[in-house]
Amino acid sequence: MTAIAIAVATPHSLSFSLRIPSSLSRSPSFRQTGYLRASARRLVSTRVYNSSVVTGEEASTSSFSQTQSSFNMADRTGSVKQQVASLVKSSLQATFPDLSDVEPQVAISAKFGDYQCNNAMGLWSRIRGSGTEFRNPNSVGQALANNLPPSEIIESTSVAGPGFVNINLSTNWISKRINDMLVDGIQTWAPILSVKRAVVDFSSPNIAKEMHVGHLRSTIIGDTLARMFEFSDVDVLRRNHVGDWGTQFGMLIEYLFEQFPNWEDVGNQAIGDLQEFYKASKKRFDDDASFKERAQQAVVKLQGGEAKYRAAWKKICEISRSEFDLVYERLNVHLEEKGESFYNPYIPDTIKELTDKGLVEESKGARVIFLEGFNIPLIVVKKDGGYNYASTDLTALKYRLQVEQAEWIIYVTDVGQQQHFEMFFSAARKAGWLPSAEEKKFPRVSHVGFGLVLGSDGKRFRTRSSEVVRLVELLDEAKNRSKAELIQRLENNGTISDWTDEELEQTAEAVGYGAVKYADLKNNRSTNYVFSFDQMLKNQGNTAVYLEYAHARICSIVRRSNKDIDTLKKTGTITLGHPDERVLALHLIQFAEVVEEACNNLLPNVLCEYLYNLSEIFNQFYTNCRVIDSPEETSRLLLCEATATVMRKCFELLGIKPVFKL
């Protein structure tokens, strides 16, 4: 098994107008624009696809609510790219039976087809000069095209330049794939991944410290990765590796005893504001040598298991967790806590195993592991005999591999911790727990590093008083700003009376929280980004607000048709007679491979780019293809519904609640 420790409303007409780049509006066929070609190149890179079968059953989402589907995951056919790659694989085997190690190289085509096989050049370099019958790369490409097995998927092929095989999909097959998804549910489009179980280690705040904006990226990036893997039928262990076992607890416990001798009777009121309590205890620790000594002794007593100290530790953790839960609830993020304290009892056995394998050495009073390629050793036992992050992380990794049987363990932290992860991964490989990085086999470990959240001044995002921004306060402000702008717009267009207070509240929350998440996730995670409420709450450009408007508008089109869309799904068919209809349909069926790419490369921004492009492509379709009261009304309504369905799944994977009117 593989593991990764990775306002609903009545019909309402919208006055909002979707906007697209001017280059798009001038193009007779959106598919031919450089914009789409460039997007295609960014969205999916050339790669080899594994077509292993995934089994199991999951719920299928046909609307905002979850509905149970009888669809069996084993019946999935994989993404379109996987299916094309499978056909290319057959051609490779037929054309070059002696080259069994060659894997298909399939990419979205930038010019001449829907997909492109790029194997010819590489094959020619291997067979050239060996007496082969092939004259050049182009002849290799011609052979590969001719040996593609008959399939309802492929309509035509052509060979360009040095053997690039351009593949055009059958328009009828594209239509059928979308029709089937509308009937069976979008879960049928879930990608097939090589991994079966994974651990996603994310968020991981420190107990007794309030969550702040610095925790935002880890929490929402980790949640999105977990959602995408779960959608792909991977068993995901969502792990919150909280810092709940360390020297700071001696300081906190001693301060609690000093300020509130009867702390057990006072209860939660003894600590009150956890952030202020931590600051006060830290100041006392830094300023008073005798207090510092008592705090250090308290750590020993805590780790020794004295009941009084353990009880105080549990109370502090309990209060802190309740604060974390408020944030997780607002973000709709679910985790299972297994903090540092969970692994602490297993550390001695881990150190013993590493020592028995001859990896641990004495150095300047500490016990360390020397690693090739690093100027400093990995300390696993400190001079005072205490354990540290490396001790805990090595033990947690061993537990996740051997007990939880995880195949892929993903750690979501800031890029500043990159060296720590590289070193402890290297130690794990040296211990034989992991294959070498060059082998690219499971089990696998990955550090998902991310950049900083910056303020408008280009420095780390803080309040005016130089304090870190509390995450609860940030989310409150996002919701309040969203609600104010929504009310203002509704009052201006005279439709405020159509909304209930509950709808206003739910919509403001969905849009506000979604804006914060999307503004983060749309960026490549390794880069810094500037946090700006003004930018993220704009209803134009690549923002969650714009995308929510686009989705709500599509829902409005379907509602205004007064047609029973569920009946149309079963009785209607999709025809793709107009070029913009086919462009939209092709983009829709590429959804699975985009999710696959985002999972394989651990990049949520790939999905964000796909979602934004989908809204732009739909707008081009809607501009040039009349829907309601057109001869093609049924087909085009089904395309609208398919677009909304895919958008909703994208929102769900990004942890954003869709709204149905705005």
Side-chain angles (χ1 to χ4, degrees):
M1 291 290 290
T2 299
I4 299 177
I6 69 165
V8 185
T10 55
H12 182 69
S13 179
L14 298 177
S15 59
F16 178 77
S17 175
L18 294 173
R19 300 177 184 274
I20 59 173
S22 58
S23 60
L24 296 183
S25 62
R26 294 193 298 267
S27 173
S29 175
F30 186 56
R31 180 168 177 254
Q32 301 304 317
T33 64
Y35 175 84
L36 182 59
R37 294 196 296 270
S39 297
R41 288 194 293 271
R42 290 195 302 270
L43 278 173
V44 187
S45 61
T46 302
R47 59 181 296 111
V48 174
Y49 284 84
N50 185 309
S51 58
S52 58
V53 176
V54 179
T55 60
E57 291 189 10
E58 287 191 359
S60 172
T61 305
S62 59
S63 65
F64 185 51
S65 62
Q66 296 286 334
T67 58
Q68 189 65 36
S69 171
S70 60
F71 169 70
N72 192 304
M73 298 297 285
D75 295 333
R76 284 183 297 163
T77 54
S79 68
V80 177
K81 183 176 285 189
Q82 285 177 327
Q83 294 182 65
V84 172
S86 179
L87 295 173
V88 172
K89 179 70 171 178
S90 296
S91 176
L92 287 167
Q93 292 170 344
T95 311
F96 299 98
D98 296 332
L99 300 180
S100 59
D101 61 326
V102 179
E103 294 294 335
Q105 296 178 1
V106 175
I108 286 179
S109 176
K111 283 187 178 181
F112 304 111
D114 299 324
Y115 289 87
Q116 189 175 80
C117 167
N118 301 318
N119 283 95
M121 287 286 287
L123 286 166
W124 174 247
S125 68
R126 292 183 61 174
I127 64 176
R128 185 177 185 178
S130 63
T132 177
E133 62 185 272
F134 296 103
R135 303 179 307 279
N136 51 43
N138 185 275
S139 65
V140 174
Q142 293 286 353
L144 291 176
N146 292 335
N147 286 330
L148 284 168
S151 170
E152 64 172 348
I153 298 175
I154 297 177
E155 189 163 275
S156 64
T157 62
S158 62
V159 180
F164 298 121
V165 181
N166 298 302
I167 299 171
N168 287 299
L169 302 183
S170 162
T171 298
N172 289 336
W173 182 81
I174 294 173
S175 300
K176 183 177 184 301
R177 187 166 175 85
I178 297 175
N179 274 124
D180 290 346
M181 181 275 288
L182 288 172
V183 172
D184 298 326
I186 197 169
Q187 190 64 54
T188 59
W189 281 8
I192 297 173
L193 304 181
S194 301
V195 64
K196 302 297 185 295
R197 173 178 286 180
V199 173
V200 182
D201 182 328
F202 66 105
S203 194
S204 306
N206 286 321
I207 293 290
K209 289 186 178 180
E210 192 165 23
M211 291 181 72
H212 54 77
V213 71
H215 295 107
L216 178 66
R217 301 208 74 180
S218 177
T219 303
I220 63 178
I221 292 172
D223 180 58
T224 295
L225 291 175
R227 287 171 180 266
M228 290 192 298
F229 278 104
E230 288 162 346
F231 171 60
S232 307
D233 199 38
V234 175
D235 179 18
V236 178
L237 309 181
R238 294 162 163 259
R239 292 289 177 257
N240 200 3
H241 189 86
V242 298
D244 65 347
W245 194 254
T247 55
Q248 79 271 20
F249 279 97
M251 174 185 78
L252 292 164
I253 291 170
E254 193 60 32
Y255 189 72
L256 178 65
F257 290 167
E258 181 182 89
Q259 296 296 312
F260 301 95
N262 63 333
W263 65 272
E264 292 175 297
D265 298 327
V266 177
N268 292 5
Q269 296 177 0
I271 293 178
D273 188 320
L274 199 59
Q275 191 84 345
E276 294 303 320
F277 185 83
Y278 183 90
K279 286 182 187 177
S281 64
K282 183 67 168 64
K283 186 175 188 308
R284 189 91 163 86
F285 184 86
D286 292 339
D287 296 346
D288 189 327
S290 62
F291 176 84
K292 182 176 182 179
E293 184 177 349
R294 294 197 305 275
Q296 291 169 338
Q297 292 172 353
V299 175
V300 176
K301 293 176 181 178
L302 170 64
Q303 295 180 348
E306 287 196 28
K308 177 182 177 183
Y309 291 83
R310 283 294 177 97
W313 168 74
K314 288 181 179 179
K315 173 56 67 175
I316 293 171
C317 290
E318 177 188 310
I319 295 172
S320 195
R321 286 190 190 99
S322 64
E323 295 292 327
F324 297 162
D325 288 344
L326 293 176
V327 175
Y328 294 139
E329 183 179 357
R330 294 184 192 208
L331 291 174
N332 192 26
V333 171
H334 306 284
L335 299 104
E336 180 183 359
E337 183 181 310
K338 270 190 169 67
E340 293 174 353
S341 63
F342 177 85
Y343 303 103
N344 193 67
Y346 303 102
I347 293 178
D349 285 343
T350 300
I351 302 300
K352 182 178 185 303
E353 178 182 338
L354 296 172
T355 303
D356 291 344
K357 290 182 176 180
L359 303 183
V360 179
E361 302 178 36
E362 297 287 334
S363 177
K364 299 180 181 179
R367 301 175 68 187
V368 306
I369 299 176
F370 288 98
L371 301 166
E372 185 177 350
F374 297 95
N375 296 324
I376 58 174
L378 182 69
I379 300 174
V380 294
V381 182
K382 298 185 293 185
K383 290 181 181 179
D384 61 4
Y387 302 128
N388 59 5
Y389 288 130
S391 320
T392 303
D393 284 343
L394 282 165
T395 302
L397 175 59
K398 180 183 175 184
Y399 184 91
R400 289 164 175 175
L401 290 170
Q402 298 181 4
V403 178
E404 295 179 324
Q405 296 288 295
E407 291 178 335
W408 198 355
I409 300 95
I410 299 168
Y411 301 83
V412 187
T413 76
D414 64 89
V415 293
Q417 299 185 45
Q418 180 176 343
Q419 186 183 63
H420 165 74
F421 283 99
E422 288 177 349
M423 291 182 72
F424 110 73
F425 291 167
S426 179
R429 292 188 178 101
K430 199 171 181 180
W433 299 346
L434 297 169
S436 67
E438 293 74 22
E439 292 181 89
K440 297 182 179 179
K441 295 180 180 178
F442 291 117
R444 180 184 304 170
V445 289
S446 297
H447 174 227
V448 176
F450 54 81
L452 299 174
V453 182
L454 306 177
S456 57
D457 58 359
K459 298 179 181 179
R460 190 186 292 266
F461 189 43
R462 295 181 180 273
T463 65
R464 292 179 180 176
S465 59
S466 296
E467 294 285 346
V468 293
V469 179
R470 294 183 176 186
L471 205 42
V472 168
E473 294 173 356
L474 181 147
L475 294 172
D476 284 345
E477 184 169 356
K479 177 183 175 180
N480 291 338
R481 287 188 180 218
S482 174
K483 186 174 182 179
E485 292 183 13
L486 175 61
I487 290 174
Q488 182 66 54
R489 185 179 62 80
L490 295 175
E491 288 178 342
N492 289 343
N493 62 29
T495 59
I496 188 70
S497 60
D498 297 337
W499 290 66
T500 66
D501 290 343
E502 184 179 4
E503 284 178 334
L504 288 171
E505 195 74 11
Q506 291 178 352
T507 302
E509 185 174 285
V511 174
Y513 295 171
V516 171
K517 288 186 176 184
Y518 189 82
D520 186 305
L521 294 169
K522 74 177 182 179
N523 300 284
N524 186 302
R525 56 174 170 74
S526 63
T527 62
N528 302 336
Y529 80 95
V530 176
F531 188 96
S532 168
F533 280 120
D534 291 338
Q535 291 297 320
M536 66 179 59
L537 290 172
K538 282 185 175 181
N539 59 14
Q540 299 176 20
N542 189 10
T543 68
V545 182
Y546 169 82
L547 294 170
E548 292 278 26
Y549 269 108
H551 172 259
R553 187 185 191 208
I554 296 171
C555 294
S556 174
I557 293 168
V558 175
R559 287 195 302 267
R560 286 189 289 111
S561 72
N562 293 318
K563 297 294 173 62
D564 185 339
I565 197 66
D566 288 331
T567 299
L568 291 186
K569 290 179 188 179
K570 299 173 184 177
T571 61
T573 58
I574 293 174
T575 57
L576 305 175
H578 191 283
D580 289 322
E581 292 176 316
R582 192 181 189 280
V583 171
L584 175 59
L586 179 63
H587 194 72
L588 286 170
I589 68 170
Q590 289 169 343
F591 167 70
E593 59 214 50
V594 171
V595 176
E596 180 184 12
E597 182 73 10
C599 288
N600 286 333
N601 292 329
L602 305 173
L603 291 172
N605 64 291
V606 171
L607 182 61
C608 293
E609 185 171 10
Y610 171 85
L611 175 58
Y612 178 60
N613 288 341
L614 176 58
S615 68
E616 299 281 62
I617 292 169
F618 177 84
N619 190 66
Q620 179 72 12
F621 153 77
Y622 189 64
T623 299
N624 295 327
C625 301
R626 183 164 57 95
V627 177
I628 299 177
D629 294 331
S630 70
E632 305 85 2
E633 183 182 59
T634 295
S635 172
R636 290 175 177 176
L637 281 173
L638 290 175
L639 274 177
C640 289
E641 180 66 15
T643 303
T645 300
V646 172
M647 289 189 75
R648 283 195 287 272
K649 179 53 69 172
C650 289
F651 282 136
E652 181 186 324
L653 298 180
L654 296 170
I656 298 171
K657 291 182 179 180
V659 296
F660 292 76
K661 79 171 185 178
L662 269 173

